[in-house]
Amino acid sequence: MYPLRRNRRLRSNEAIRNLVRETVITPNDFLVPLFVVEGKGVREEIASMPDYYRLSLDNLEKEVKELWNMGLCAVLLFVKVPDNLKDNFGKEALNANGLMQLAIKTVKNACPDMLVMTDVALDPYSIYGHDGIIENGKILNDESAEFLAKMSVSHALAGADVVAPSDMMDGRIQIIRESLENEGLVDTGIMSYSAKYASAFYGPFRDALDSAPVDLVDIPKDKKTYQMDFANREEAIRETRMDVEEGADIVMVKPGLCYLDIVRDIKNTFDVPVAVYQVSGEYAMLKAAAEKGWLDHDAVMMEQVLAIKRAGASIIASYFAKDVVRLIG
């Protein structure tokens, strides 16, 4: 007795596989992270992130025009702050003519319809490399959250469409939302890093921005007091619920591949878009393995981004965005 239903019929050739495919990747799925530095004519490859670059404002302008022409219409901006502008309080982050504010304006002048999201965090501005203000060896939650709200307003006034607090301070979404509303910035969105884990996958990113926690006595050597324990699953729902109730428009899970169970849990629980950050370590591992000839770069890359979308991501922040779009044509 042979089966009446043969599932292999729908896998028998490329045409039928394409026709019944459940998950499809397009340029509209991607948010492109960009690293911005001071100077002119700078296009500096990041050693631990092959084929990815730090860009000065003039090259940022060229990059966003190229992205736009490729159909990539959303960017997430990060800045590498010179050491002489760093302190414990992040004061440079509020400079209306600071690097982030100028980067926002550069993107908007180059491509007015490009969606601009901005990293809202203290670590690029901190002499300690932490996401909050430090006092007596402790990261201060409420004071840090209040400062992040001021930073968000500064980004919005410069033209940011969405602010993206990546710090994991408790209650910061509500303070940011209230501050934006009080300034009349009611259309500015918030993409909260709601389930951001204390992951070992962030190393190359911290190299890119020189933002790793410093190794000093009486200063926390990692971010485990505010980023989530990667052993925890239910906690991600609690964190995300708080952010949604406080006014987040989009929630994010970070990192990506090791946390797809969290992505699906959040997708099934909340009715807001879910973003996933495919982080620098994930990027660097594939680049290194492909360079050694151990993995097929393009095949694994596509499998990874499809898995992230299949898990429930509406938005994928990925350093592979341009590679994917070139591949899918």
XYZ file of all heavy atoms in Angstrom, residues 66-139:
565
model
N 23.804 54.316 -2.132
C 23.939 52.972 -2.700
C 22.892 52.028 -2.118
O 22.259 51.247 -2.846
C 25.339 52.417 -2.429
C 25.555 51.017 -2.986
C 26.925 50.444 -2.670
O 27.797 51.202 -2.195
O 27.118 49.240 -2.896
N 22.699 52.090 -0.805
C 21.686 51.252 -0.168
C 20.307 51.526 -0.751
O 19.546 50.596 -1.054
C 21.676 51.499 1.345
C 22.911 51.063 2.126
C 22.806 51.530 3.572
C 23.102 49.558 2.073
N 19.986 52.791 -0.890
C 18.669 53.166 -1.414
C 18.463 52.610 -2.825
O 17.391 52.080 -3.143
C 18.523 54.685 -1.416
C 17.174 55.146 -1.840
C 16.784 55.564 -3.079
C 15.996 55.205 -1.014
N 15.447 55.889 -3.080
C 14.946 55.681 -1.829
C 15.741 54.913 0.316
C 13.652 55.871 -1.336
C 14.458 55.100 0.809
C 13.430 55.565 -0.013
N 19.491 52.708 -3.645
C 19.387 52.205 -5.013
C 19.259 50.685 -5.054
O 18.756 50.129 -6.039
C 20.596 52.655 -5.832
C 20.579 54.146 -6.127
O 19.521 54.767 -6.166
N 21.759 54.724 -6.306
N 19.703 50.011 -3.996
C 19.568 48.560 -3.896
C 18.213 48.146 -3.334
O 17.904 46.954 -3.274
C 20.668 47.989 -3.006
C 22.072 48.145 -3.548
S 23.327 47.531 -2.374
C 23.025 45.760 -2.471
N 17.414 49.116 -2.901
C 16.120 48.806 -2.304
C 16.162 48.659 -0.802
O 15.164 48.263 -0.187
N 17.308 48.963 -0.190
C 17.446 48.922 1.264
C 17.126 50.309 1.816
O 17.862 51.269 1.564
C 18.861 48.487 1.649
C 19.178 47.030 1.319
C 20.686 46.790 1.298
C 18.502 46.087 2.323
N 16.043 50.406 2.543
C 15.456 51.716 2.840
C 15.434 52.066 4.324
O 14.718 52.980 4.738
C 14.030 51.774 2.289
S 13.939 51.490 0.504
N 16.221 51.355 5.145
C 16.257 51.645 6.580
C 17.663 51.404 7.104
O 18.280 50.384 6.787
C 15.254 50.774 7.338
N 18.159 52.347 7.902
C 19.497 52.222 8.477
C 19.428 52.428 9.985
O 18.531 53.097 10.509
C 20.490 53.226 7.855
C 20.687 52.947 6.379
C 20.049 54.672 8.086
N 20.399 51.829 10.673
C 20.552 51.978 12.119
C 21.943 52.537 12.360
O 22.940 51.885 12.045
C 20.377 50.626 12.809
C 20.595 50.571 14.324
C 19.658 51.525 15.057
C 20.404 49.138 14.835
N 22.021 53.748 12.907
C 23.283 54.470 13.022
C 23.949 54.257 14.380
O 23.296 54.329 15.427
C 23.052 55.968 12.805
C 22.481 56.390 11.447
C 22.313 57.906 11.410
C 23.370 55.911 10.299
N 25.267 54.048 14.323
C 26.128 53.980 15.503
C 27.305 54.918 15.267
O 27.753 55.090 14.126
C 26.660 52.566 15.717
C 25.594 51.524 15.936
C 25.034 50.845 14.859
C 25.154 51.226 17.211
C 24.059 49.879 15.061
C 24.180 50.266 17.419
C 23.627 49.595 16.343
N 27.835 55.490 16.334
C 28.971 56.398 16.185
C 30.140 55.938 17.042
O 29.964 55.412 18.143
C 28.598 57.851 16.548
C 27.590 58.407 15.548
C 28.059 57.961 17.967
N 31.348 56.128 16.505
C 32.594 55.886 17.235
C 33.084 57.242 17.731
O 33.507 58.089 16.939
C 33.626 55.219 16.346
C 34.910 54.822 17.079
C 35.861 54.111 16.123
C 37.095 53.582 16.866
N 37.921 54.678 17.418
N 33.023 57.429 19.019
C 33.297 58.736 19.622
C 34.774 58.821 19.998
O 35.314 57.896 20.625
C 32.415 58.935 20.872
C 32.692 60.275 21.537
C 30.936 58.814 20.494
N 35.448 59.913 19.637
C 36.854 60.075 20.040
C 37.002 60.045 21.559
O 36.119 60.504 22.292
C 37.226 61.455 19.483
C 36.244 61.702 18.378
C 34.971 61.030 18.798
N 38.121 59.514 22.021
C 38.341 59.361 23.460
C 38.253 60.684 24.209
O 37.789 60.728 25.359
C 39.710 58.716 23.718
C 39.743 57.240 23.357
O 38.657 56.643 23.192
O 40.850 56.690 23.224
N 38.703 61.756 23.592
C 38.709 63.043 24.297
C 37.306 63.602 24.531
O 37.142 64.565 25.293
C 39.555 64.067 23.527
C 38.956 64.443 22.184
O 38.674 63.582 21.355
N 38.754 65.722 21.960
N 36.291 63.003 23.905
C 34.909 63.462 24.091
C 34.119 62.536 25.010
O 32.924 62.753 25.226
C 34.203 63.569 22.744
C 34.770 64.604 21.772
C 34.000 64.584 20.450
C 34.745 66.007 22.376
N 34.783 61.533 25.562
C 34.099 60.586 26.449
C 34.191 61.038 27.903
O 35.180 61.650 28.318
C 34.705 59.186 26.311
C 34.520 58.553 24.937
C 35.132 57.154 24.892
C 34.962 56.515 23.527
N 35.487 55.131 23.486
N 33.149 60.733 28.668
C 33.168 60.956 30.111
C 32.229 59.943 30.752
O 31.762 59.014 30.096
C 32.791 62.400 30.473
C 31.410 62.806 29.965
O 30.532 61.921 29.811
O 31.187 63.995 29.720
N 31.925 60.117 32.012
C 31.047 59.180 32.718
C 29.573 59.475 32.482
O 28.725 58.647 32.788
C 31.350 59.216 34.224
C 30.552 58.191 35.015
O 30.247 57.107 34.516
N 30.202 58.518 36.242
N 29.267 60.643 31.939
C 27.872 61.072 31.841
C 27.364 61.163 30.402
O 26.184 61.392 30.180
C 27.692 62.427 32.534
C 28.085 62.410 33.977
C 29.346 62.821 34.371
C 27.206 61.935 34.951
C 29.720 62.787 35.710
C 27.573 61.901 36.281
C 28.845 62.319 36.665
N 28.255 61.015 29.434
C 27.835 61.039 28.038
C 27.413 62.395 27.527
O 26.577 62.474 26.618
N 27.965 63.436 28.061
C 27.508 64.786 27.699
C 27.585 65.048 26.201
O 26.731 65.739 25.640
C 28.321 65.848 28.460
C 28.072 65.863 29.953
C 28.667 67.093 30.615
C 30.179 67.109 30.565
N 30.795 66.112 31.441
N 28.587 64.485 25.532
C 28.731 64.707 24.097
C 27.524 64.178 23.316
O 27.212 64.675 22.225
C 30.016 64.042 23.590
C 30.241 64.105 22.085
C 30.361 65.525 21.547
O 30.616 66.467 22.336
O 30.214 65.698 20.313
N 26.819 63.235 23.881
C 25.645 62.669 23.204
C 24.554 63.701 22.985
O 23.687 63.516 22.117
C 25.096 61.495 24.007
N 24.568 64.786 23.762
C 23.531 65.818 23.653
C 23.967 66.995 22.791
O 23.210 67.963 22.637
C 23.146 66.320 25.054
C 22.685 65.249 26.047
C 22.244 65.894 27.350
C 21.565 64.403 25.469
N 25.144 66.924 22.220
C 25.664 67.987 21.369
C 24.867 68.036 20.071
O 24.873 67.082 19.295
C 27.146 67.735 21.085
C 27.775 68.817 20.229
O 27.116 69.758 19.794
N 29.074 68.675 19.987
N 24.169 69.145 19.843
C 23.335 69.270 18.641
C 24.167 69.168 17.363
O 23.631 68.854 16.293
C 22.573 70.581 18.672
N 25.468 69.437 17.475
C 26.372 69.312 16.335
C 27.331 68.140 16.521
O 28.420 68.126 15.946
C 27.159 70.614 16.142
C 26.255 71.759 15.716
O 25.494 71.635 14.764
N 26.335 72.871 16.435
N 26.912 67.171 17.329
C 27.723 65.985 17.552
C 27.681 65.039 16.361
O 26.904 65.229 15.416
N 28.503 64.010 16.426
C 28.645 63.099 15.292
C 27.333 62.390 14.965
O 26.981 62.254 13.787
C 29.756 62.079 15.584
C 30.114 61.120 14.449
C 30.544 61.877 13.196
C 31.218 60.168 14.892
N 26.593 61.929 15.959
C 25.325 61.259 15.677
C 24.336 62.213 15.032
O 23.670 61.872 14.035
C 24.738 60.665 16.952
C 23.363 60.019 16.762
S 23.368 58.594 15.630
C 23.860 57.288 16.757
N 24.224 63.400 15.580
C 23.268 64.364 15.041
C 23.628 64.738 13.595
O 22.742 64.852 12.731
C 23.223 65.603 15.944
C 22.572 65.366 17.298
C 23.473 64.664 18.314
O 24.601 64.271 18.011
N 22.975 64.518 19.531
N 24.911 64.910 13.335
C 25.341 65.220 11.966
C 25.121 64.030 11.041
O 24.776 64.206 9.862
C 26.813 65.628 11.954
C 27.147 66.948 12.660
C 28.652 67.184 12.649
C 26.412 68.121 12.018
N 25.304 62.816 11.566
C 25.071 61.622 10.752
C 23.604 61.512 10.351
O 23.278 61.169 9.202
C 25.512 60.381 11.517
N 22.718 61.784 11.290
C 21.280 61.757 10.987
C 20.965 62.729 9.861
O 20.284 62.384 8.878
C 20.460 62.108 12.238
C 20.658 61.053 13.329
C 18.979 62.258 11.889
C 20.172 61.494 14.706
N 21.476 63.945 9.990
C 21.208 64.970 8.973
C 21.830 64.604 7.634
O 21.239 64.853 6.574
C 21.736 66.315 9.468
C 20.980 66.851 10.672
C 21.626 68.114 11.232
C 20.886 68.592 12.487
N 21.536 69.786 13.098
N 22.991 63.991 7.667
C 23.648 63.566 6.427
C 22.796 62.550 5.684
O 22.607 62.652 4.459
C 25.036 62.960 6.742
O 25.870 63.970 7.312
C 25.688 62.412 5.483
N 22.269 61.567 6.412
C 21.433 60.552 5.771
C 20.162 61.184 5.212
O 19.765 60.899 4.066
C 21.081 59.424 6.766
C 20.104 58.433 6.116
C 22.329 58.698 7.232
N 19.525 62.020 5.993
C 18.269 62.630 5.555
C 18.470 63.571 4.372
O 17.614 63.662 3.479
C 17.617 63.372 6.727
C 16.915 62.443 7.707
C 15.787 61.683 7.039
C 14.953 60.881 7.991
N 13.874 60.120 7.302
N 19.607 64.263 4.336
C 19.892 65.140 3.196
C 20.175 64.328 1.937
O 19.796 64.721 0.827
C 21.085 66.042 3.507
C 20.742 67.133 4.501
O 19.583 67.505 4.654
N 21.745 67.650 5.198
N 20.843 63.178 2.110
C 21.177 62.345 0.961
C 19.967 61.594 0.432
O 19.774 61.493 -0.783
C 22.285 61.355 1.344
N 19.164 61.052 1.344
C 17.987 60.247 0.984
C 16.859 60.612 1.947
O 16.717 59.960 3.001
C 18.294 58.757 1.082
S 19.464 58.148 -0.119
N 16.074 61.621 1.637
C 15.048 62.089 2.567
C 14.065 61.013 3.013
O 13.545 61.080 4.137
C 14.338 63.196 1.777
C 15.362 63.672 0.797
C 16.154 62.455 0.422
N 13.812 60.014 2.177
C 12.853 58.974 2.522
C 13.478 57.764 3.211
O 12.761 56.826 3.583
C 12.101 58.518 1.268
C 11.207 59.620 0.709
O 10.680 60.413 1.509
O 11.057 59.685 -0.523
N 14.792 57.773 3.371
C 15.445 56.688 4.101
C 14.978 56.725 5.554
O 14.972 57.775 6.196
C 16.964 56.842 4.049
C 17.739 55.764 4.813
S 17.733 54.143 4.010
C 18.961 54.369 2.703
N 14.563 55.568 6.095
C 14.179 55.479 7.497
C 15.441 55.449 8.349
O 16.293 54.581 8.160
C 13.347 54.226 7.756
C 12.806 54.101 9.175
C 11.620 55.024 9.372
C 12.411 52.658 9.486
N 15.543 56.404 9.273
C 16.737 56.514 10.108
C 16.400 56.111 11.533
O 15.571 56.742 12.189
C 17.301 57.944 10.081
C 18.503 58.048 11.028
C 17.715 58.333 8.670
N 17.036 55.046 11.990
C 16.982 54.644 13.392
C 18.335 54.939 14.025
O 19.369 54.864 13.362
C 16.647 53.157 13.526
C 15.303 52.754 12.961
S 14.893 51.058 13.486
C 13.381 50.781 12.558
N 18.332 55.261 15.303
C 19.575 55.635 15.969
C 19.773 54.840 17.246
O 18.825 54.586 17.994
C 19.577 57.131 16.324
O 18.456 57.431 17.164
C 19.526 57.987 15.073
N 21.028 54.460 17.480
C 21.376 53.792 18.723
C 21.335 54.800 19.869
O 21.981 55.849 19.808
C 22.775 53.199 18.603
C 23.208 52.481 19.867
O 22.437 51.630 20.354
O 24.310 52.768 20.359
N 20.551 54.474 20.887
C 20.479 55.303 22.085
C 21.115 54.508 23.220
O 20.511 53.583 23.764
C 19.027 55.685 22.419
C 18.961 56.447 23.739
C 18.433 56.524 21.293
N 22.354 54.843 23.530
C 23.101 54.140 24.575
C 24.275 55.006 24.982
O 24.779 55.813 24.192
C 23.581 52.782 24.086
N 24.727 54.802 26.189
C 25.838 55.601 26.700
C 27.206 55.000 26.386
O 28.216 55.712 26.433
C 25.701 55.760 28.219
C 24.778 56.882 28.690
C 24.528 56.780 30.182
C 25.382 58.240 28.362
N 27.272 53.700 26.088
C 28.596 53.077 26.009
C 29.544 53.697 24.984
O 30.744 53.784 25.253
C 28.493 51.554 25.848
C 27.638 51.114 24.687
O 26.689 51.826 24.333
O 27.896 50.033 24.130
N 29.082 54.200 23.809
C 30.059 54.832 22.915
C 30.647 56.124 23.485
O 31.727 56.554 23.065
C 29.237 55.122 21.652
C 28.056 54.236 21.734
C 27.755 54.130 23.192
N 29.919 56.724 24.424
C 30.327 58.008 24.989
C 30.985 57.874 26.354
O 31.441 58.855 26.928
C 29.100 58.921 25.127
C 28.411 59.228 23.828
C 27.383 58.422 23.345
C 28.777 60.323 23.053
C 26.746 58.697 22.144
C 28.154 60.616 21.855
C 27.135 59.785 21.410
O 26.518 60.071 20.225
N 30.993 56.660 26.892
C 31.420 56.435 28.272
C 32.908 56.096 28.360
O 33.404 55.259 27.604
C 30.609 55.296 28.897
O 31.151 54.903 30.130
N 33.598 56.700 29.311
C 35.002 56.345 29.545
C 35.115 54.932 30.103
O 36.187 54.339 30.079
C 35.678 57.351 30.501
C 34.888 57.472 31.809
C 35.868 58.694 29.833
C 35.564 58.337 32.849
N 33.999 54.389 30.580
C 34.001 53.046 31.161
C 33.441 51.981 30.224
O 33.478 50.790 30.541
C 33.205 53.041 32.468
C 33.746 53.992 33.509
C 32.969 55.029 33.998
C 35.046 53.861 33.991
C 33.459 55.909 34.955
C 35.542 54.731 34.952
C 34.743 55.755 35.426
O 35.240 56.628 36.365
N 32.870 52.388 29.094
C 32.319 51.426 28.149
C 31.023 50.784 28.604
O 30.655 49.722 28.099
N 30.321 51.424 29.522
C 29.065 50.881 30.019
C 27.874 51.684 29.483
O 28.024 52.812 29.014
C 29.049 50.854 31.545
C 29.669 49.616 32.115
N 29.035 48.392 32.083
C 30.883 49.401 32.693
C 29.819 47.470 32.636
N 30.946 48.060 33.005
N 26.706 51.079 29.583
C 25.480 51.677 29.044
C 24.791 52.602 30.042
O 23.656 53.017 29.804
C 24.499 50.571 28.629
C 25.013 49.759 27.459
O 25.963 48.995 27.644
O 24.465 49.896 26.359
N 25.447 52.894 31.127
C 24.850 53.756 32.127
C 25.903 54.544 32.884
O 27.112 54.285 32.783
N 25.428 55.514 33.626
C 26.286 56.331 34.483
C 26.730 55.492 35.680
O 25.929 54.739 36.240
C 25.513 57.583 34.954
C 25.102 58.428 33.740
C 26.338 58.395 35.938
C 24.043 59.486 34.057
N 27.980 55.610 36.048
C 28.527 54.805 37.141
C 28.825 55.681 38.357
O 29.390 56.774 38.229
C 29.807 54.068 36.693
C 29.460 53.051 35.605
C 30.483 53.377 37.871
C 30.647 52.266 35.091
N 28.418 55.173 39.508
C 28.714 55.844 40.770
C 29.018 54.784 41.818
O 28.228 53.848 42.003
C 27.525 56.707 41.218
C 27.799 57.528 42.462
C 26.627 58.429 42.810
O 26.379 59.394 42.040
O 25.951 58.170 43.831
N 30.154 54.923 42.464
C 30.582 53.964 43.491
C 30.557 52.526 42.964
O 30.131 51.599 43.658
C 29.704 54.088 44.741
C 29.828 55.450 45.395
O 30.908 56.050 45.410
N 28.721 55.955 45.919
N 31.000 52.368 41.722
C 31.107 51.036 41.138
C 29.801 50.425 40.683
O 29.766 49.253 40.300
N 28.721 51.187 40.685
C 27.397 50.668 40.317
C 26.824 51.458 39.155
O 26.950 52.687 39.105
C 26.453 50.752 41.521
C 25.079 50.184 41.280
C 24.221 50.275 42.546
C 22.825 49.710 42.323
N 21.987 49.802 43.555
N 26.180 50.743 38.208
C 25.488 51.424 37.104
C 24.159 51.940 37.622
O 23.323 51.170 38.106
C 25.276 50.476 35.908
C 26.601 50.185 35.201
C 24.332 51.104 34.890
C 27.390 49.076 35.749
